[in-house]
Amino acid sequence: EAGVAQSPRYKIIEKRQSVAFWCNPISGHATLYWYQQILGQGPKLLIQFQNNGVVDDSQLPKDRFSAERLKGVDSTLKIQPAKLEDSAVYLCASSSGQGWQPQHFGDGTRLSIL
Amino acid sequence: DQQVKQNSPSLSVQEGRISILNCDYTNSMFDYFLWYKKYPAEGPTFLISISSIKDKNEDGRFTVFLNKSAKHLSLHIVPSQPGDSAVYFCAASHTGRRALTFGSGTRLQVQP
């Protein structure tokens, strides 16, 4: 089975620019997550979707971050405008959403802000 | 407030010996615990999990132990192999919030 796909793998932008990341979860997985991983730390949840509805976005900086999952499959995460502290790896994960099932992660997008 | 803590940033063991990675948590609502392995430039890979109704789960060379009263879990790797060298993350979730809360990771180096 194909894993979680993310693109791009790397992105370098200047502060105050905008950027978007794309994620395609494992086929059939209803639950999709975006995590931010800053160097030296564990991943931290930004937003969780169940199908195309938002379940948890309490830790999403909504003044600059937005995310959508319009058809309940692919998802995009956008940052506008970017700040220096947004430099991190952005990880997408998916799970079946049923019971005690692990989340499976993509390889992430490494974002560098100049 | 760090709800999941991995207090050892790094661990070095000899090939063939046991590796023990530790994790502590503070949120008593957590009922599902996972270990992920991460190689550089790759996403975390699921390794093994345990629910709060168990105190041990085994999968080949990997065993996870859960001590609910101490709010502590550990991952044992026996025997350790050089390919096990990676960063290991402990993570936890609960029924009301399936998103994972991660520790900061432990870098394991297995010396040949």
Side-chain angles (χ1 to χ4, degrees):
Chain A
E1 127 186 299
V4 176
Q6 289 189 246
S7 67
R9 288 299 314 274
Y10 304 92
K11 191 73 178 178
I12 301 174
I13 62 172
E14 295 187 348
K15 60 183 179 184
R16 292 189 288 275
Q17 286 187 324
S18 63
V19 64
F21 314 124
W22 173 82
C23 172
N24 182 241
I26 292 172
S27 178
H29 278 190
T31 310
L32 184 147
Y33 307 81
W34 284 101
Y35 290 85
Q36 179 192 58
Q37 185 177 16
I38 292 172
L39 189 64
Q41 299 179 18
K44 287 185 172 59
L45 178 75
L46 290 173
I47 189 167
Q48 175 185 349
F49 291 95
Q50 180 73 19
N51 296 309
N52 60 348
V54 175
V55 173
D56 184 351
D57 64 357
S58 58
Q59 298 179 76
L60 187 74
K62 298 181 186 63
D63 58 334
R64 297 183 301 104
F65 286 65
S66 64
E68 60 184 13
R69 193 183 183 200
L70 290 176
K71 297 181 180 178
V73 180
D74 294 8
S75 177
T76 56
L77 176 69
K78 296 180 182 177
I79 308 175
Q80 181 179 12
K83 291 186 173 181
L84 293 175
E85 61 259 35
D86 299 332
S87 293
V89 176
Y90 291 85
L91 294 161
C92 179
S94 70
S95 72
S96 65
Q98 297 174 2
W100 288 313
Q101 293 297 323
Q103 295 175 26
H104 297 276
F105 285 79
D107 286 337
T109 297
R110 179 175 295 278
L111 176 65
S112 297
I113 312 293
L114 303 179
Chain B
D1 174 28
Q2 238 185 323
Q3 298 186 54
V4 177
K5 296 182 183 179
Q6 293 176 256
N7 292 319
S8 298
S10 63
L11 175 67
S12 182
V13 300
Q14 291 288 349
E15 181 179 5
R17 306 294 290 268
I18 184 171
S19 295
I20 300 176
L21 294 91
N22 294 302
C23 178
D24 297 295
Y25 62 96
T26 58
N27 189 339
S28 55
M29 290 181 66
F30 287 145
D31 60 6
Y32 184 48
F33 304 88
L34 308 90
W35 286 93
Y36 284 83
K37 180 167 76 170
K38 188 180 183 306
Y39 293 119
E42 294 183 10
T45 301
F46 169 69
L47 198 56
I48 192 169
S49 64
I50 188 168
S51 69
S52 58
I53 61 174
K54 295 185 174 182
D55 53 19
K56 177 182 174 181
N57 189 26
E58 208 168 342
D59 183 1
R61 297 186 297 114
F62 302 92
T63 303
V64 57
F65 295 92
L66 175 62
N67 183 333
K68 290 186 289 294
S69 60
K71 292 191 176 68
H72 177 85
L73 64 155
S74 61
L75 174 68
H76 293 209
I77 306 173
V78 184
S80 301
Q81 299 174 354
D84 296 331
S85 298
V87 177
Y88 289 78
F89 289 98
C90 168
S93 72
H94 59 77
T95 305
R97 184 177 186 269
R98 278 294 169 213
L100 296 174
T101 300
F102 282 85
S104 55
T106 296
R107 182 176 301 277
L108 172 66
Q109 189 160 10
V110 180
Q111 309 280 2

